[in-house]
Amino acid sequence: MGKTKQTRKFAVAKKMMSHKDERVRENLEKAQKKQEEIKKKAEPRHVETANSALFFQYNTQLGPPYHVLVDTNFINFSIRKKLDMIRSMMDCLLAKCIPCITDCVMGELEKLGGKYKIALRLAKDPRFERIPCLCKGNYADDCITKLVQQWRCFIVATCDKELRGRIRKIPGVPCMYISGQKYTVERMPEAFGAPP
């Protein structure tokens, strides 16, 4: 028995992976991700400078007269609970208080319309200090958070739990809110008038 003769095939190319194949594309993506990670590691990191007014979590810039940055819902809840804002703040902190309102909060009050006319009239009181802000058409909570991060000489008065959570993350900024028929301050040891 002899061997069978195999015929030689002519003009047959080897099978090659096409450049559109998924496996090749994945390799390219992995390589690009690695290059991006290397670039990120090479860039200098942005580290916030520590505030010189802080002694650990205690803010030495805060002192009488206290500047209280007021939010929209804090004014509304004060009116509902029939609390005089300035007197209640003074009872809580046992010192002179200057309520401050940003342009964004005023804009928010004006947008709310006729239902909140009393709150708007209260906010335009000459005893309230008006703080101009550079943010145009910005959300009031973002404006207050930015302002407090820049100048840590304010107490933030708000009843909004979300905003209070954001302010708790900023060290050295106390938060005032309404509990029962009184104002309460958290993270401020020298507020002797605040209920425990």
Side-chain angles (χ1 to χ4, degrees), residues 88-154:
S88 298
M89 284 178 188
M90 287 171 70
D91 289 343
C92 179
L93 297 171
L94 298 177
K96 188 181 178 194
C97 298
I98 303 164
C100 305
I101 287 188
T102 61
D103 292 339
C104 290
V105 173
M106 284 297 281
E108 205 173 85
L109 279 168
E110 287 166 2
K111 281 180 190 173
L112 289 171
K115 202 174 183 183
Y116 299 95
K117 204 181 279 185
I118 300 165
L120 186 62
R121 196 181 306 153
L122 181 66
K124 288 182 178 176
D125 190 329
R127 295 179 294 176
F128 281 55
E129 192 177 304
R130 186 83 177 263
I131 297 173
C133 57
L134 300 171
C135 50
K136 292 178 180 176
N138 202 351
Y139 186 49
D141 290 4
D142 296 335
C143 176
I144 288 170
T145 310
K146 280 181 188 175
L147 196 69
V148 163
Q149 279 176 336
Q150 280 181 336
W151 315 103
R152 296 191 187 180
C153 59
F154 293 108

